[in-house]
Amino acid sequence: MQYIKIKDTIVEQIQSGLLAAGTKLPSERKLAESFKTTRVTLREALSLLEAEGVIFREDRRGWFIAERPIQLDLMSAYHIHTVAQAQGKSASTDVVVSKTVMANKEAAEKMALPPFSEIHHIERTHLVDGRPVMYAIHYVRADSTPSLLDHDISQDLSVIFANTFHLRFAQCTYGVASTSFDKEIAQALRATAGAPALLIARTHADIDGVVQEVVLEHWRHNAVALNVSAGF
Amino acid sequence: MQYIKIKDTIVEQIQSGLLAAGTKLPSERKLAESFKTTRVTLREALSLLEAEGVIFREDRRGWFIAERPIQLDLMSAYHIHTVAQAQGKSASTDVVVSKTVMANKEAAEKMALPPFSEIHHIERTHLVDGRPVMYAIHYVRADSTPSLLDHDISQDLSVIFANTFHLRFAQCTYGVASTSFDKEIAQALRATAGAPALLIARTHADIDGVVQEVVLEHWRHNAVALNVSAGF
DNA sequence: CAGTGGTCTAGACCACGGA
DNA sequence: CCGTGGTCTAGACCACTGC
């Protein structure tokens, strides 16, 4: 089990500080030669390290040492910019899709919408320290927030909801599942299809219990850790 | 990208009902032949399906179609037996380790213990429908629950806490992270080291805010989905 | 354009599971 | 004891990245 040995050696080098977070590893061919093995075996080791969250890959760009994950507290409404800043990182957001459309089946179900409802469909890539780590798909009831898309969509949407539409969320439910990226989302995150991912589905309801927004957050699995607290 | 094709074909067969949950797939060699490819490429496809949670493997036993995951609601104290039952599954528990020892560093930190504190150290394998899906490591303050290990440790511990020690938990915090199994835990779950896993770290405090129990739950990543709700 | 990662082939040996 | 999954070798071609 050579690949275990390779894995441990790389972990060791990271812990000893020889390989800092964000560093790119040498090419697979060079690594394979260093460890006197073939690329297939080397990639086995790298995949293991990826699954552990120690390294990650950028599609066709190579392998990199992972950063410390962002800590998310699900008990308080979060926005990635403020959370990142509080943890000494910087975040930015790219809007990929923003359109107002008839609700698709998925959105209609999750929001319990009447037929032919219009929703805003927004997709954004979120970067932390310049690295794309999360892809979010938003479905927002259009009747409550008619002119939403005229605003700057790259910021915290809840600010727009509050300031412009006097819309506040009273309740939020999360679904969390461990999966992997499909092709489209992987591409948007410069990841590879099949890379491990964490899916956080957020459902926001207003004071009347009406679901106003649903967000599907696809995280690179090593970029995030969740905290939840419950009292009884 | 042949392995995408293979992957899709298998997904198709599952959705069409040809492959029921729990079924074992044919051997890798046979599958490789069916798809006119090599085992390496076939395993690439299978690994992708494993990452997606569609199939899972038992070490040296083969590949199986995944069942529907257990839904866990973190907002209410759960026990796997009752949760499984409510979802039409049956659960059982094997005690692997049960001893009273001096707290190790990990336990002492998480529980804010004074030096030389004694704790109960319990490790259990949890099975759903006969399949090992979760490995739990418990650290329990021994001073609050002196005779804990004399009881039947394979049941819901909180019942023993409540009935025997009049100990109730008032607060629970969770940490959730996506990782992979290390060798020991993989073995206990008949999984392979490096297989994707979900780690849920539970910390239980009593009414006085004293941490009485810490549990590290290592789940097969496709065996569980989390639900959380928060009000503001 | 050189080098890289992504993909694939056609084998091989071993240790373990299950009959 | 047979077949299986786990591991490994030594190559190859292609499309893309980054210079």
Side-chain angles (χ1 to χ4, degrees), chain A residues 1-3 29 36-41 44 60-61:
Chain A
M1 287 187 307
Q2 218 169 313
Y3 68 86
R29 285 174 177 83
K36 299 195 194 318
T37 182
T38 54
R39 272 181 72 208
V40 176
T41 300
E44 181 81 23
R60 286 169 196 286
R61 261 178 214 90

Side-chain angles (χ1 to χ4, degrees), chain A residues 117-136:
Chain A
S117 301
E118 292 232 304
I119 56 168
H120 302 304
H121 179 141
I122 300 171
E123 303 194 4
R124 308 190 295 181
T125 306
H126 295 270
L127 302 90
V128 170
D129 292 341
R131 228 170 277 291
V133 296
M134 191 263 280
Y135 191 81

Side-chain angles (χ1 to χ4, degrees), chain B residues 1-3 29 36-41 60-61:
Chain B
M1 289 188 310
Q2 222 169 309
Y3 68 86
R29 286 173 176 82
K36 299 194 196 318
T37 184
T38 54
R39 271 181 72 208
V40 176
T41 300
R60 286 170 196 285
R61 264 179 212 88

Side-chain angles (χ1 to χ4, degrees), chain B residues 177-198:
Chain B
S178 167
T179 51
S180 65
F181 291 127
D182 66 28
K183 205 174 141 199
E184 286 72 31
I185 293 175
Q187 204 153 29
L189 294 179
R190 298 210 295 257
T192 52
L198 198 69

